[in-house]
């Protein structure tokens, strides 16, 4: 994922009320939040509401940010809370609460551990280490360095098709592992991996 500003500058900018920084955070995450919300809510209007609520909450609570805060956990928590809040609003429709209940408890990692962003981040790094070496290199160059498939192919001396195949396999592996973590695992996957 390419970033124009590093995490510290994003946090400082938010704390100082710089709306261009909010625009930057929006640019980085709004599509991922929308995709995740839509995958659960199956309703575009509700998914748009989630995106709006997440960024309103971040802006309204910018003064609470600590100097060493990290944007990812903030986004993760805001999105989780916004989706759960919407499910609660729809609690008259019993199926929503049942769906959320199943989604948050049907995981083999344990609901307590899974609610911890730090645990999910550790799990992510552990899973990256399990990828075959070539696949791991391709994935890291794509997701952490922000290189295009063409740039990765050139750097590694392979075809773009090979890069595409390796990325597809890496993402499928990670999606399966995080998908088994239910609601929060999938949220982490959508926001920070896919």
């Amino acid at each position: 994922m390419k970033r124009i500003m590093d995490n510290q500058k994003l946090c400082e900018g938010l704390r100082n009320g710089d709306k261009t920084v909010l625009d930057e955070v929006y640019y980085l995450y709004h599509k991922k939040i929308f995709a995740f919300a839509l995958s659960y809510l199956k309703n575009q209007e509700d998914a748009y509401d989630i995106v709006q609520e997440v960024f309103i909450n971040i802006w309204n609570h910018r003064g609470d940010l600590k100097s060493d805060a990290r944007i990812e956990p903030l986004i993760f928590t805001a999105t989780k809370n916004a989706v759960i809040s919407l499910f609660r609003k729809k609690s008259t429709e019993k199926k929503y609460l049942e769906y959320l209940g199943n989604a948050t408890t049907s995981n083999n990692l344990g609901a307590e551990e899974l609610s911890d962003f730090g645990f999910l981040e550790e799990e992510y790094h552990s899973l990256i280490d399990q990828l075959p070496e070539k696949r791991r290199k391709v994935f890291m160059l794509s997701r952490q360095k922000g290189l295009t498939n063409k740039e990765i192919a050139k750097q590694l001396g392979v075809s773009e098709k090979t890069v595409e195949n390796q990325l597809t396999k890496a993402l499928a592996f990670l999606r399966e592992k995080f998908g088994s973590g239910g609601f929060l695992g999938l949220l982490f996957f959508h926001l920070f991996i896919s």
Side-chain angles (χ1 to χ4, degrees):
M1 181 190 307
K2 286 189 178 177
R3 294 210 176 129
I4 298 165
M5 288 186 227
D6 66 22
N7 184 78
Q8 189 177 356
K9 286 182 182 170
L10 288 173
C11 281
E12 284 173 8
L14 283 175
R15 287 176 71 203
N16 293 331
D18 186 342
K19 288 193 175 177
T20 61
V21 173
L22 184 66
D23 291 342
E24 168 78 5
V25 176
Y26 180 85
Y27 170 78
L28 290 170
Y29 293 107
H30 79 279
K31 287 180 183 173
K32 290 171 178 271
I33 292 169
F34 177 79
F36 173 76
L38 187 61
S39 74
Y40 264 85
L41 302 167
K42 313 296 186 203
N43 179 303
Q44 285 199 346
E45 198 174 306
D46 286 345
Y48 282 122
D49 287 347
I50 291 293
V51 173
Q52 187 176 7
E53 186 174 337
V54 166
F55 289 100
I56 287 171
N57 283 340
I58 288 170
W59 185 251
N60 287 344
H61 295 96
R62 66 191 182 279
D64 300 334
L65 279 175
K66 294 180 181 173
S67 55
D68 61 347
R70 288 173 52 222
I71 292 296
E72 276 96 353
L74 180 72
I75 293 286
F76 178 81
T77 303
T79 303
K80 176 190 75 170
N81 291 343
V83 173
I84 290 171
S85 173
L86 186 60
F87 274 119
R88 284 193 182 126
K89 285 176 191 169
K90 293 180 176 287
S91 63
T92 50
E93 298 175 45
K94 198 175 174 189
K95 62 180 181 178
Y96 277 102
L97 283 183
E98 286 172 3
Y99 183 63
L100 180 62
N102 292 337
T104 54
T105 57
S106 65
N107 64 71
N108 54 14
L109 298 173
E112 254 180 45
E113 288 176 309
L114 199 54
S115 66
D116 180 0
F117 177 86
F119 173 79
L120 288 169
E121 195 173 29
E122 283 175 26
E123 186 71 8
Y124 168 64
H125 292 296
S126 171
L127 291 169
I128 295 296
D129 289 342
Q130 292 175 36
L131 293 172
E133 187 180 353
K134 187 184 204 178
R135 195 167 300 160
R136 185 169 63 246
K137 275 185 186 173
V138 167
F139 183 82
M140 300 290 272
L141 288 171
S142 170
R143 290 308 189 262
Q144 296 193 349
K145 301 286 184 187
L147 299 183
T148 64
N149 287 3
K150 188 175 184 178
E151 290 168 333
I152 296 168
K154 187 177 179 184
Q155 185 167 324
L156 297 180
V158 297
S159 70
E160 281 187 61
K161 189 69 177 166
T162 298
V163 170
E164 190 180 311
N165 288 340
Q166 292 295 333
L167 270 179
T168 300
K169 287 176 181 176
L171 287 168
F173 169 74
L174 291 167
R175 191 181 202 293
E176 180 189 348
K177 295 296 183 183
F178 278 99
S180 70
F183 175 77
L184 296 177
L186 281 174
L187 172 59
F188 187 91
F189 177 83
H190 274 277
L191 291 181
F192 310 116
I193 303 173
S194 68

